[in-house]
Amino acid sequence: MVKLNRIYTRTGDGGTTGLASGPRRRKSDARLVAIGDVDETNAALGLVRLEAEDEGPLAEALKRIQNDLFDLGADLATPETGEALSYEPLRIVDAQVDWLEAEIDRLNARLAPLTSFVLPGGGPLASGLHMARTVCRRAERAMVALSGEEAVGAPALSYINRLSDYLFVAARHANDDGRFDILWEPGKNR
């Protein structure tokens, strides 16, 4: 388990950091960029949760997702090299993706079908969810880029993709089930 008794170690002062499995990588390495973007997604959700405190199931879902994002970070911090490890690495599993899909379906069932794209906005909670969605999409792009260089688990890639979908549907839910959505009007200001 994790035990942090010192926050600074000075080992990263030269521009490297250690992965969970031991090797050190440059802080600009594609794996560390992906881990950082997942961490930023988690931090964005921490801010969103301040607006969601009174939202019951949504607040609980966001808390669960934040925990899952730490699992995702641990997954990414332990590259799949095929070499035996002295421990069982923590990986995102299909059940976590399935849970997100069920939550998307649950929230989406209450929403009217879209007739246009939705502009990010509405109320403060919806706006925060849209912002978190865009950060999540960046994390997904970083993970996809990493997967072009090294192995990334399929459930991890599915999870981050599904999470942005969830955040979009949750934003619509937060906008009074879409009633306060701001729809894009193509060419309106020409």
Side-chain angles (χ1 to χ4, degrees), residues 126-150:
S127 296
L129 287 161
H130 278 298
M131 179 60 77
R133 175 185 55 78
T134 65
V135 175
C136 181
R137 284 285 189 214
R138 181 167 7 104
E140 181 182 12
R141 290 190 302 272
M143 288 176 60
V144 168
L146 173 62
S147 74
E149 300 174 17
E150 301 181 39

PDB file of all heavy atoms in Angstrom, residues 126-150:
ATOM      1  N   ALA A 126     -22.886  22.282 -14.488  1.00  0.00           N
ATOM      2  CA  ALA A 126     -22.772  21.813 -15.868  1.00  0.00           C
ATOM      3  C   ALA A 126     -21.514  22.377 -16.524  1.00  0.00           C
ATOM      4  O   ALA A 126     -20.799  21.659 -17.236  1.00  0.00           O
ATOM      5  CB  ALA A 126     -24.008  22.195 -16.666  1.00  0.00           C
ATOM      6  N   SER A 127     -21.228  23.646 -16.287  1.00  0.00           N
ATOM      7  CA  SER A 127     -20.035  24.257 -16.870  1.00  0.00           C
ATOM      8  C   SER A 127     -18.772  23.561 -16.374  1.00  0.00           C
ATOM      9  O   SER A 127     -17.845  23.305 -17.154  1.00  0.00           O
ATOM     10  CB  SER A 127     -19.982  25.749 -16.527  1.00  0.00           C
ATOM     11  OG  SER A 127     -21.071  26.420 -17.113  1.00  0.00           O
ATOM     12  N   GLY A 128     -18.732  23.244 -15.096  1.00  0.00           N
ATOM     13  CA  GLY A 128     -17.579  22.528 -14.540  1.00  0.00           C
ATOM     14  C   GLY A 128     -17.442  21.135 -15.123  1.00  0.00           C
ATOM     15  O   GLY A 128     -16.326  20.672 -15.403  1.00  0.00           O
ATOM     16  N   LEU A 129     -18.565  20.462 -15.321  1.00  0.00           N
ATOM     17  CA  LEU A 129     -18.537  19.131 -15.931  1.00  0.00           C
ATOM     18  C   LEU A 129     -18.044  19.198 -17.370  1.00  0.00           C
ATOM     19  O   LEU A 129     -17.275  18.343 -17.810  1.00  0.00           O
ATOM     20  CB  LEU A 129     -19.912  18.475 -15.849  1.00  0.00           C
ATOM     21  CG  LEU A 129     -20.305  17.996 -14.449  1.00  0.00           C
ATOM     22  CD1 LEU A 129     -21.813  17.798 -14.350  1.00  0.00           C
ATOM     23  CD2 LEU A 129     -19.566  16.725 -14.077  1.00  0.00           C
ATOM     24  N   HIS A 130     -18.465  20.219 -18.106  1.00  0.00           N
ATOM     25  CA  HIS A 130     -17.969  20.394 -19.469  1.00  0.00           C
ATOM     26  C   HIS A 130     -16.460  20.666 -19.468  1.00  0.00           C
ATOM     27  O   HIS A 130     -15.732  20.137 -20.305  1.00  0.00           O
ATOM     28  CB  HIS A 130     -18.703  21.541 -20.174  1.00  0.00           C
ATOM     29  CG  HIS A 130     -20.030  21.161 -20.740  1.00  0.00           C
ATOM     30  ND1 HIS A 130     -20.170  20.207 -21.727  1.00  0.00           N
ATOM     31  CD2 HIS A 130     -21.276  21.617 -20.463  1.00  0.00           C
ATOM     32  CE1 HIS A 130     -21.455  20.100 -22.043  1.00  0.00           C
ATOM     33  NE2 HIS A 130     -22.152  20.937 -21.286  1.00  0.00           N
ATOM     34  N   MET A 131     -15.989  21.480 -18.532  1.00  0.00           N
ATOM     35  CA  MET A 131     -14.546  21.748 -18.450  1.00  0.00           C
ATOM     36  C   MET A 131     -13.788  20.460 -18.135  1.00  0.00           C
ATOM     37  O   MET A 131     -12.768  20.152 -18.764  1.00  0.00           O
ATOM     38  CB  MET A 131     -14.256  22.816 -17.389  1.00  0.00           C
ATOM     39  CG  MET A 131     -12.776  23.123 -17.250  1.00  0.00           C
ATOM     40  SD  MET A 131     -12.003  23.734 -18.763  1.00  0.00           S
ATOM     41  CE  MET A 131     -12.579  25.408 -18.757  1.00  0.00           C
ATOM     42  N   ALA A 132     -14.292  19.691 -17.187  1.00  0.00           N
ATOM     43  CA  ALA A 132     -13.655  18.412 -16.848  1.00  0.00           C
ATOM     44  C   ALA A 132     -13.667  17.472 -18.048  1.00  0.00           C
ATOM     45  O   ALA A 132     -12.708  16.726 -18.276  1.00  0.00           O
ATOM     46  CB  ALA A 132     -14.363  17.769 -15.653  1.00  0.00           C
ATOM     47  N   ARG A 133     -14.735  17.521 -18.844  1.00  0.00           N
ATOM     48  CA  ARG A 133     -14.823  16.686 -20.046  1.00  0.00           C
ATOM     49  C   ARG A 133     -13.710  17.030 -21.024  1.00  0.00           C
ATOM     50  O   ARG A 133     -13.088  16.144 -21.608  1.00  0.00           O
ATOM     51  CB  ARG A 133     -16.198  16.878 -20.714  1.00  0.00           C
ATOM     52  CG  ARG A 133     -16.356  16.162 -22.038  1.00  0.00           C
ATOM     53  CD  ARG A 133     -17.690  16.499 -22.706  1.00  0.00           C
ATOM     54  NE  ARG A 133     -17.929  17.920 -22.895  1.00  0.00           N
ATOM     55  CZ  ARG A 133     -17.387  18.654 -23.864  1.00  0.00           C
ATOM     56  NH1 ARG A 133     -16.556  18.121 -24.730  1.00  0.00           N
ATOM     57  NH2 ARG A 133     -17.692  19.938 -23.964  1.00  0.00           N
ATOM     58  N   THR A 134     -13.433  18.318 -21.200  1.00  0.00           N
ATOM     59  CA  THR A 134     -12.389  18.697 -22.153  1.00  0.00           C
ATOM     60  C   THR A 134     -11.011  18.295 -21.645  1.00  0.00           C
ATOM     61  O   THR A 134     -10.151  17.891 -22.429  1.00  0.00           O
ATOM     62  CB  THR A 134     -12.422  20.203 -22.480  1.00  0.00           C
ATOM     63  OG1 THR A 134     -12.115  20.963 -21.317  1.00  0.00           O
ATOM     64  CG2 THR A 134     -13.778  20.605 -23.040  1.00  0.00           C
ATOM     65  N   VAL A 135     -10.797  18.378 -20.347  1.00  0.00           N
ATOM     66  CA  VAL A 135      -9.528  17.918 -19.772  1.00  0.00           C
ATOM     67  C   VAL A 135      -9.415  16.413 -19.943  1.00  0.00           C
ATOM     68  O   VAL A 135      -8.347  15.884 -20.281  1.00  0.00           O
ATOM     69  CB  VAL A 135      -9.421  18.338 -18.281  1.00  0.00           C
ATOM     70  CG1 VAL A 135      -8.163  17.767 -17.647  1.00  0.00           C
ATOM     71  CG2 VAL A 135      -9.448  19.861 -18.143  1.00  0.00           C
ATOM     72  N   CYS A 136     -10.514  15.713 -19.741  1.00  0.00           N
ATOM     73  CA  CYS A 136     -10.551  14.262 -19.923  1.00  0.00           C
ATOM     74  C   CYS A 136     -10.217  13.889 -21.361  1.00  0.00           C
ATOM     75  O   CYS A 136      -9.481  12.920 -21.618  1.00  0.00           O
ATOM     76  CB  CYS A 136     -11.922  13.730 -19.519  1.00  0.00           C
ATOM     77  SG  CYS A 136     -12.103  11.950 -19.654  1.00  0.00           S
ATOM     78  N   ARG A 137     -10.734  14.630 -22.312  1.00  0.00           N
ATOM     79  CA  ARG A 137     -10.434  14.362 -23.733  1.00  0.00           C
ATOM     80  C   ARG A 137      -8.935  14.527 -23.998  1.00  0.00           C
ATOM     81  O   ARG A 137      -8.362  13.795 -24.792  1.00  0.00           O
ATOM     82  CB  ARG A 137     -11.235  15.286 -24.647  1.00  0.00           C
ATOM     83  CG  ARG A 137     -12.678  14.889 -24.790  1.00  0.00           C
ATOM     84  CD  ARG A 137     -12.823  13.693 -25.693  1.00  0.00           C
ATOM     85  NE  ARG A 137     -14.224  13.453 -25.991  1.00  0.00           N
ATOM     86  CZ  ARG A 137     -14.752  12.263 -26.174  1.00  0.00           C
ATOM     87  NH1 ARG A 137     -14.002  11.193 -26.112  1.00  0.00           N
ATOM     88  NH2 ARG A 137     -16.022  12.133 -26.434  1.00  0.00           N
ATOM     89  N   ARG A 138      -8.313  15.495 -23.351  1.00  0.00           N
ATOM     90  CA  ARG A 138      -6.860  15.656 -23.502  1.00  0.00           C
ATOM     91  C   ARG A 138      -6.135  14.445 -22.948  1.00  0.00           C
ATOM     92  O   ARG A 138      -5.188  13.935 -23.546  1.00  0.00           O
ATOM     93  CB  ARG A 138      -6.377  16.932 -22.822  1.00  0.00           C
ATOM     94  CG  ARG A 138      -4.882  17.099 -22.998  1.00  0.00           C
ATOM     95  CD  ARG A 138      -4.312  18.465 -22.640  1.00  0.00           C
ATOM     96  NE  ARG A 138      -5.211  19.398 -22.043  1.00  0.00           N
ATOM     97  CZ  ARG A 138      -5.231  19.706 -20.742  1.00  0.00           C
ATOM     98  NH1 ARG A 138      -4.395  19.119 -19.907  1.00  0.00           N
ATOM     99  NH2 ARG A 138      -6.069  20.608 -20.282  1.00  0.00           N
ATOM    100  N   ALA A 139      -6.594  13.964 -21.799  1.00  0.00           N
ATOM    101  CA  ALA A 139      -5.991  12.759 -21.219  1.00  0.00           C
ATOM    102  C   ALA A 139      -6.151  11.580 -22.161  1.00  0.00           C
ATOM    103  O   ALA A 139      -5.223  10.775 -22.338  1.00  0.00           O
ATOM    104  CB  ALA A 139      -6.618  12.454 -19.855  1.00  0.00           C
ATOM    105  N   GLU A 140      -7.310  11.486 -22.786  1.00  0.00           N
ATOM    106  CA  GLU A 140      -7.529  10.407 -23.745  1.00  0.00           C
ATOM    107  C   GLU A 140      -6.565  10.523 -24.924  1.00  0.00           C
ATOM    108  O   GLU A 140      -5.984   9.527 -25.366  1.00  0.00           O
ATOM    109  CB  GLU A 140      -8.977  10.414 -24.242  1.00  0.00           C
ATOM    110  CG  GLU A 140      -9.259   9.299 -25.230  1.00  0.00           C
ATOM    111  CD  GLU A 140     -10.672   9.316 -25.773  1.00  0.00           C
ATOM    112  OE1 GLU A 140     -11.398  10.321 -25.578  1.00  0.00           O
ATOM    113  OE2 GLU A 140     -11.048   8.318 -26.407  1.00  0.00           O
ATOM    114  N   ARG A 141      -6.394  11.740 -25.453  1.00  0.00           N
ATOM    115  CA  ARG A 141      -5.462  11.919 -26.575  1.00  0.00           C
ATOM    116  C   ARG A 141      -4.048  11.519 -26.167  1.00  0.00           C
ATOM    117  O   ARG A 141      -3.322  10.881 -26.944  1.00  0.00           O
ATOM    118  CB  ARG A 141      -5.494  13.368 -27.076  1.00  0.00           C
ATOM    119  CG  ARG A 141      -6.781  13.731 -27.785  1.00  0.00           C
ATOM    120  CD  ARG A 141      -6.702  15.086 -28.480  1.00  0.00           C
ATOM    121  NE  ARG A 141      -6.388  16.197 -27.599  1.00  0.00           N
ATOM    122  CZ  ARG A 141      -7.296  16.908 -26.920  1.00  0.00           C
ATOM    123  NH1 ARG A 141      -8.589  16.609 -27.008  1.00  0.00           N
ATOM    124  NH2 ARG A 141      -6.925  17.913 -26.166  1.00  0.00           N
ATOM    125  N   ALA A 142      -3.656  11.868 -24.948  1.00  0.00           N
ATOM    126  CA  ALA A 142      -2.319  11.499 -24.471  1.00  0.00           C
ATOM    127  C   ALA A 142      -2.183   9.991 -24.335  1.00  0.00           C
ATOM    128  O   ALA A 142      -1.137   9.410 -24.666  1.00  0.00           O
ATOM    129  CB  ALA A 142      -2.027  12.185 -23.128  1.00  0.00           C
ATOM    130  N   MET A 143      -3.235   9.331 -23.846  1.00  0.00           N
ATOM    131  CA  MET A 143      -3.188   7.872 -23.708  1.00  0.00           C
ATOM    132  C   MET A 143      -3.154   7.184 -25.063  1.00  0.00           C
ATOM    133  O   MET A 143      -2.449   6.190 -25.247  1.00  0.00           O
ATOM    134  CB  MET A 143      -4.366   7.383 -22.868  1.00  0.00           C
ATOM    135  CG  MET A 143      -4.231   7.716 -21.391  1.00  0.00           C
ATOM    136  SD  MET A 143      -5.684   7.232 -20.418  1.00  0.00           S
ATOM    137  CE  MET A 143      -5.727   5.467 -20.703  1.00  0.00           C
ATOM    138  N   VAL A 144      -3.889   7.712 -26.027  1.00  0.00           N
ATOM    139  CA  VAL A 144      -3.876   7.144 -27.380  1.00  0.00           C
ATOM    140  C   VAL A 144      -2.488   7.334 -27.996  1.00  0.00           C
ATOM    141  O   VAL A 144      -1.946   6.417 -28.621  1.00  0.00           O
ATOM    142  CB  VAL A 144      -4.988   7.759 -28.251  1.00  0.00           C
ATOM    143  CG1 VAL A 144      -4.807   7.410 -29.718  1.00  0.00           C
ATOM    144  CG2 VAL A 144      -6.352   7.292 -27.760  1.00  0.00           C
ATOM    145  N   ALA A 145      -1.897   8.512 -27.808  1.00  0.00           N
ATOM    146  CA  ALA A 145      -0.542   8.737 -28.316  1.00  0.00           C
ATOM    147  C   ALA A 145       0.433   7.749 -27.677  1.00  0.00           C
ATOM    148  O   ALA A 145       1.276   7.159 -28.360  1.00  0.00           O
ATOM    149  CB  ALA A 145      -0.103  10.179 -28.046  1.00  0.00           C
ATOM    150  N   LEU A 146       0.312   7.547 -26.375  1.00  0.00           N
ATOM    151  CA  LEU A 146       1.165   6.590 -25.679  1.00  0.00           C
ATOM    152  C   LEU A 146       0.969   5.190 -26.237  1.00  0.00           C
ATOM    153  O   LEU A 146       1.943   4.456 -26.446  1.00  0.00           O
ATOM    154  CB  LEU A 146       0.868   6.605 -24.175  1.00  0.00           C
ATOM    155  CG  LEU A 146       1.567   5.535 -23.334  1.00  0.00           C
ATOM    156  CD1 LEU A 146       3.080   5.678 -23.398  1.00  0.00           C
ATOM    157  CD2 LEU A 146       1.061   5.598 -21.896  1.00  0.00           C
ATOM    158  N   SER A 147      -0.278   4.829 -26.517  1.00  0.00           N
ATOM    159  CA  SER A 147      -0.556   3.476 -27.012  1.00  0.00           C
ATOM    160  C   SER A 147       0.062   3.231 -28.383  1.00  0.00           C
ATOM    161  O   SER A 147       0.234   2.082 -28.790  1.00  0.00           O
ATOM    162  CB  SER A 147      -2.063   3.197 -27.043  1.00  0.00           C
ATOM    163  OG  SER A 147      -2.682   3.896 -28.107  1.00  0.00           O
ATOM    164  N   GLY A 148       0.412   4.293 -29.097  1.00  0.00           N
ATOM    165  CA  GLY A 148       1.119   4.151 -30.359  1.00  0.00           C
ATOM    166  C   GLY A 148       2.590   3.829 -30.171  1.00  0.00           C
ATOM    167  O   GLY A 148       3.261   3.393 -31.108  1.00  0.00           O
ATOM    168  N   GLU A 149       3.094   4.038 -28.954  1.00  0.00           N
ATOM    169  CA  GLU A 149       4.499   3.793 -28.644  1.00  0.00           C
ATOM    170  C   GLU A 149       4.703   2.572 -27.751  1.00  0.00           C
ATOM    171  O   GLU A 149       5.707   1.882 -27.852  1.00  0.00           O
ATOM    172  CB  GLU A 149       5.099   5.009 -27.928  1.00  0.00           C
ATOM    173  CG  GLU A 149       5.063   6.287 -28.716  1.00  0.00           C
ATOM    174  CD  GLU A 149       5.540   7.482 -27.903  1.00  0.00           C
ATOM    175  OE1 GLU A 149       6.188   7.283 -26.844  1.00  0.00           O
ATOM    176  OE2 GLU A 149       5.257   8.620 -28.320  1.00  0.00           O
ATOM    177  N   GLU A 150       3.763   2.354 -26.831  1.00  0.00           N
ATOM    178  CA  GLU A 150       3.875   1.293 -25.830  1.00  0.00           C
ATOM    179  C   GLU A 150       2.494   0.708 -25.565  1.00  0.00           C
ATOM    180  O   GLU A 150       1.484   1.327 -25.862  1.00  0.00           O
ATOM    181  CB  GLU A 150       4.399   1.839 -24.496  1.00  0.00           C
ATOM    182  CG  GLU A 150       5.732   2.508 -24.534  1.00  0.00           C
ATOM    183  CD  GLU A 150       6.132   2.983 -23.151  1.00  0.00           C
ATOM    184  OE1 GLU A 150       5.882   2.267 -22.161  1.00  0.00           O
ATOM    185  OE2 GLU A 150       6.682   4.089 -23.062  1.00  0.00           O
TER     186      GLU A 150
END
